[in-house]
Amino acid sequence: MHIAVVHDWLIAKGGAENVLQALTEIYPNAPVYTLVYDARGPCGEFLADRQVVTSFLQRFPQSTLRYRSFLPLMPLAIEQFDLSPYEIVISSSHAVAKGILTHPDQLHVCYCYTPIRYAWDLQHQYLRQSGLEHGAKGWLAKGILHYIRLWDTRTSNGVDAFIAISRFIAQRIRKIYRREAKVIYPPVDVERFAPCAEKQEYYFTAGRMVPYKRVDLIVKAFAHMPHRKLVVIGDGPEYAKIQADVPPNVTLLGYQPWEVLHEKMRQAKAFIFAAEEDFGILPVEAQACGTPVIAYGKGGALETVIEGKTGLFFKEQTVESIIEAIEQFENSPTDFSMDELVANAKRFAKERFKTEIENFINQQWQKFKREKTL
């Protein structure tokens, strides 16, 4: 099979890029098509020996820094890739990668992290945070997002089979595209984490400090619990605001290398997760460390944490709800089993992902070939 992989952009390395890396291991001869690629960045490490084809956006000044501002041109750019030589096209998409053009003799499978959030259910939040709710620029932004929604809906028809990263995202695909999706959870490198039975007297959270992660809520909750300690790793736009009002019982460590994050995570009493994530890799990594999770009971966490066995949920993204969950955790008679935590994390291991993806692609290809002969 002649296979090509299409990814939105390759600048930083996050969960989507971990998926891409696994795909390149499954299909070592498949070229990677992407809008913009920073070969000197972290993605360059696993793509050094791979053919990477970029769009015309790559030639724009400071393209690897200002790529998000090219959103109005992204649909046009992704449609310029000529993928006609390939039998199978796999799009790895959270923005526009699924919009590539394929012909009737090609199988297009989309691994979908989410339909474009800032064009759909997060539009109003995106406009508010960007200061684009009113005025001429605001109307221009709304017009662009309206166009993106129309294009996004139309291009969903060019996908032969969708794969969703969680049941939560499969529901969004059904709602927005009116399509069913196979759920294959993304790979988590759980073997990299070592469980620790001896916990210290602190809670832990980590992640990029952006508004939807709600790290500010966690810190405010601990301001009301001065007898409990919290350690926070991560940086981002919200860091300065959180740092300005941090209580004495909360330690902000900012960005730290993986080794420090690993040690803090495995020794913590529990990992606290307040975001509504599409999947959420950090709670899985915490469980791989033998650390229970206290999570907001919505989104992907409902699929990665087993309530009462590997963690607890709080119902609302409020300070009061977080405090209540922590008190429940402290007073719970439940003894979270180290073996059960680690076993649950292993459900999301990388080798499991690679096996499920390869089997699904093969099944879809055989089905596609049978239907062509009818």
Side-chain angles (χ1 to χ4, degrees), residues 104-296:
D105 291 330
Q106 290 176 296
L107 173 67
H108 176 192
V109 177
C110 175
Y111 190 84
C112 184
Y113 307 97
T114 179
I116 310 173
R117 275 198 169 275
Y118 40 86
W120 292 100
D121 50 320
L122 289 187
Q123 174 186 291
H124 300 294
Q125 179 181 325
Y126 165 76
L127 293 172
R128 186 165 52 252
Q129 291 172 354
S130 303
L132 294 172
E133 288 184 283
H134 309 289
K137 288 184 178 180
W139 282 110
L140 177 61
K142 292 170 187 175
I144 290 170
L145 293 176
H146 177 72
Y147 155 68
I148 292 290
R149 278 193 296 277
L150 295 175
W151 178 86
D152 191 40
T153 304
R154 179 185 63 76
T155 57
S156 67
N157 295 321
V159 176
D160 295 294
F162 274 101
I163 306 172
I165 66 169
S166 63
R167 294 194 301 272
F168 179 60
I169 292 304
Q171 290 172 352
R172 297 190 73 243
I173 291 171
R174 189 179 304 115
K175 167 81 173 176
I176 294 170
Y177 301 144
R178 302 299 181 187
R179 298 285 301 279
E180 295 300 316
K182 168 75 172 178
V183 175
I184 298 180
Y185 294 116
V188 182
D189 196 0
V190 294
E191 301 298 334
R192 193 181 184 195
F193 294 84
C196 175
E198 297 182 9
K199 303 299 185 181
Q200 296 186 15
E201 284 298 314
Y202 67 86
Y203 291 86
F204 179 66
T205 192
R208 183 154 173 77
M209 291 191 184
V210 292
Y212 87 94
K213 296 282 189 182
R214 302 320 309 265
V215 176
D216 60 323
L217 281 183
I218 301 173
V219 171
K220 287 175 184 176
F222 276 83
H224 290 81
M225 298 183 291
H227 55 298
R228 307 204 189 284
K229 295 181 180 178
L230 173 70
V231 174
V232 183
I233 285 179
D235 60 7
E238 294 268 287
Y239 184 85
K241 184 176 76 173
I242 294 171
Q243 185 183 44
D245 199 27
V246 65
N249 59 321
V250 175
T251 303
L252 292 183
L253 297 179
Y255 170 80
Q256 294 293 326
W258 179 85
E259 290 77 13
V260 176
L261 182 143
H262 180 214
E263 198 63 21
K264 293 298 181 184
M265 184 179 283
R266 64 196 297 268
Q267 292 179 354
K269 293 176 68 173
F271 179 80
I272 305 179
F273 190 70
E276 180 185 337
E277 285 279 16
D278 301 328
F279 174 72
I281 289 177
L282 282 168
V284 177
E285 293 176 340
Q287 291 170 82
C289 290
T291 301
V293 177
I294 301 172
Y296 176 45

